[in-house]
Amino acid sequence: MTALLELKDVSKRFGGVQAVRDLSFEVRDGEILGLIGPNGAGKSTLFNLINGVFKPDTGSVLFKGADITGQKPYKVARYGIARAHQIVQPLGALSVLDNCTVGACFGREDLPLARARETAYEVARSVGLGDRLESPASSLTTAGKKRLELARALSARPRLLLLDEVLAGLNPAESDQMIATVRKIRDSGISILM
């Protein structure tokens, strides 16, 4: 079975700080792979290397066999990689539905606005935001904003979802709900790196 995502000897340094050193691993179809490490261990930097925010100093990033090393984030999104960030920053003045529509417009399928809106509607409902579609994103609770971040990423119709600290700031009940949602996402055919 071929790897969906493969990192080969990836390294990144910021001045005197070695954030990631010679990291190699694979994510396969249908897999949830978790990265564990203390704050400052390089987990978010690794996500930035995968989705094109940073270019590795050495090594390569392959997605479905294609070398995507150092490609711009919008190109990486077109391949089918989406990311939910640790620090959620929704477009606060826009509605929940409009935030998700943005994700769909700039995702893997390059959807026109009308189709993007349909996708956004479906995805927002699937993560539990169906009753808040017209609410301003800024009005959501922390848990709601985490769900919105997830919905915006899922609206891009990814094959691989990068979840950066998706449980941070959630209480135990909210964490349990989010874990169930993550499993449901994986069961729908999307691989997850978290």
Side-chain angles (χ1 to χ4, degrees), residues 162-192:
L162 307 176
L163 298 178
D164 194 355
E165 300 285 349
V166 72
L167 302 178
L170 301 181
N171 67 39
E174 293 165 340
S175 292
D176 289 346
Q177 291 171 349
M178 186 62 79
I179 290 168
T181 300
V182 168
R183 286 187 178 127
K184 187 170 86 171
I185 292 166
R186 188 263 326 267
D187 293 345
S188 77
I190 299 170
S191 299
I192 299 169

Side-chain angles (χ1 to χ4, degrees), residues 5-6 13-14 19 34 65 87 92 112-113 120 137 147 152 154 160 191:
L5 175 74
E6 185 176 5
R13 176 181 288 279
F14 298 99
I87 299 170
L113 186 58
R147 286 191 177 278
R152 190 167 49 186
L154 288 172
L160 175 66
S191 299

Side-chain angles (χ1 to χ4, degrees), residues 15 31 35 49 58 71 91 94 105 133 138 153 168-169 177 192 194:
E31 183 173 40
L35 298 173
L49 293 167
T58 62
Q71 290 195 25
L91 303 167
L94 297 182
C105 283
L133 293 172
S138 60
Q177 291 171 349
I192 299 169
M194 60 186 299

Side-chain angles (χ1 to χ4, degrees), residues 96-176:
V96 167
L97 183 59
D98 288 342
N99 267 268
C100 296
T101 301
V102 169
C105 283
F106 295 98
R108 178 174 57 89
E109 296 175 344
D110 194 19
L111 297 175
L113 186 58
R115 292 248 344 269
R117 199 154 179 82
E118 291 170 11
T119 296
Y121 176 81
E122 293 169 17
V123 171
R125 286 177 41 96
S126 76
V127 301
L129 292 172
D131 61 339
R132 302 298 305 269
L133 293 172
E134 296 305 321
S135 300
S138 60
S139 71
L140 298 175
T141 64
T142 298
K145 287 177 182 172
K146 289 277 190 178
R147 286 191 177 278
L148 176 56
E149 183 75 5
L150 183 59
R152 190 167 49 186
L154 288 172
S155 292
R157 295 290 196 212
R159 291 184 171 102
L160 175 66
L161 182 60
L162 307 176
L163 298 178
D164 194 355
E165 300 285 349
V166 72
L167 302 178
L170 301 181
N171 67 39
E174 293 165 340
S175 292
D176 289 346

